[in-house]
Amino acid sequence: MKTMFRKMIAVTAAALCVMSAGAQEVDVDELLRAMREMTVSQGNKDVMGKIRKGRNKIPFSLSARGETVVFQYKHNEAWQRFDVRIKDKNADLVLVTNGKAQVMAPAHYVKTIAGTDVCYEDLSLRFLYWKGGRLIEDNANSRIKGRDCYIVEVKNPKPSVGQFAWVRMWVDKENGTTWQVDGYGKDGKLKKRFTITAVQRLSDGTWFFKQMKLEVRNPKDPARTIALNYLEMDDLPGASK
């Protein structure tokens, strides 16, 4: 599984790097697929981390098992589990309790986890499984953290499900890192911003995030942040910052 993921990332990255400035034929769905694979590039080995809000720290892990990504988090001394089960056109979120699986009701997607502002949809990055994205024309806003990026915009195929009507993502043209994701509500206002603030480079040349900041915006004034949370990953073997 790990080998398959790394080949996928390498092929996609190579295809993006050889494109000329005048040939903007980027397969956005393929780009999103490579981004998904990067989040689980350690194969079936659990990747550990924590969700942090202030002094509240919630341990969590993720791992890939076939066409399923398994998320677990610890709350009140007990580990809770939910899965992302990947399908051809979408992905289901599934609660797993005492070994029994039950498809998560869409209303549960926005339920926050263990006293943080991070919900199930946030942790699973469900929007990476949406289809039919488009590229936004390159402009001054295409650079972030000094990096040239593709700006990808994807609409929610079922706007009534989940917190976002559409998302906009900044994807590094060179290494595929997703530096920023903006999630917009049905009212067209920015609801949440996900920002990669630190990365680690693996020994095989692929990248994995070290810290992601999640900002919750004021519904009345989206320019204001009203809550901060962080997803922080443990150091991976052989990784460098």
Side-chain angles (χ1 to χ4, degrees):
M1 180 62 65
K2 188 189 314 186
T3 301
M4 180 189 75
F5 286 159
R6 289 174 176 169
K7 286 182 178 179
M8 176 72 68
I9 295 167
V11 169
T12 303
L16 294 176
C17 288
V18 300
M19 290 169 47
S20 67
Q24 296 297 323
E25 295 297 326
V26 178
D27 187 326
V28 175
D29 286 340
E30 193 67 22
L31 183 59
L32 290 174
R33 184 160 67 127
M35 291 160 60
R36 293 195 299 269
E37 307 305 356
M38 288 185 75
T39 67
V40 288
S41 63
Q42 290 303 290
N44 59 7
K45 179 180 178 181
D46 286 352
V47 180
M48 304 299 296
K50 60 181 175 293
I51 306 170
R52 178 170 61 86
K53 180 182 179 181
R55 295 183 178 181
N56 186 20
K57 298 179 181 180
I58 307 300
F60 81 96
S61 72
L62 68 86
S63 61
R65 301 174 185 174
E67 295 302 309
T68 298
V69 183
V70 176
F71 291 86
Q72 298 184 81
Y73 65 92
K74 191 176 184 180
H75 183 48
N76 292 333
E77 302 303 318
W79 284 92
Q80 312 292 327
R81 172 180 166 180
F82 75 99
D83 297 350
V84 178
R85 297 190 177 176
I86 303 168
K87 298 182 176 180
D88 289 338
K89 296 183 178 181
N90 55 31
D92 286 336
L93 302 189
V94 178
L95 288 171
V96 181
T97 306
N98 297 324
K100 296 182 179 180
Q102 182 178 10
V103 175
M104 190 182 295
H108 203 82
Y109 290 0
V110 297
K111 183 177 180 180
T112 55
I113 294 173
T116 71
D117 300 296
V118 178
C119 66
Y120 289 92
E121 185 172 51
D122 297 334
L123 190 57
S124 68
L125 302 177
R126 191 178 71 92
F127 44 78
L128 292 182
Y129 300 89
W130 296 348
K131 303 291 185 180
R134 68 186 183 96
L135 287 181
I136 304 298
E137 184 178 357
D138 280 357
N139 53 40
N141 294 324
S142 300
R143 287 182 64 83
I144 191 167
K145 294 184 178 294
R147 306 288 300 179
D148 287 325
C149 294
Y150 295 107
I151 303 179
V152 178
E153 188 174 287
V154 192
K155 291 183 178 180
N156 186 344
K158 295 182 178 181
S160 61
V161 176
Q163 60 192 321
F164 302 134
W166 53 282
V167 298
R168 185 170 287 180
M169 295 174 266
W170 280 255
V171 185
D172 196 302
K173 290 183 178 181
E174 181 180 353
N175 60 39
T177 298
T178 307
W179 291 109
Q180 181 173 301
V181 179
D182 286 353
Y184 292 82
K186 301 176 184 64
D187 59 1
K189 295 180 180 179
L190 178 64
K191 290 179 67 69
K192 288 182 177 178
R193 171 168 288 171
F194 306 76
T195 308
I196 297 293
T197 55
V199 296
Q200 47 189 322
R201 187 173 185 175
L202 308 186
S203 56
D204 66 353
T206 58
W207 295 81
F208 197 81
F209 81 89
K210 175 68 176 172
Q211 184 187 74
M212 178 187 293
K213 179 172 65 176
L214 171 59
E215 302 172 61
V216 181
R217 294 303 177 95
N218 187 326
K220 296 182 179 180
D221 182 6
R224 292 183 56 202
T225 297
I226 58 174
L228 275 178
N229 300 255
Y230 294 88
L231 302 180
E232 298 173 333
M233 307 307 299
D234 293 350
D235 290 332
L236 298 173
S240 59
K241 297 181 181 179

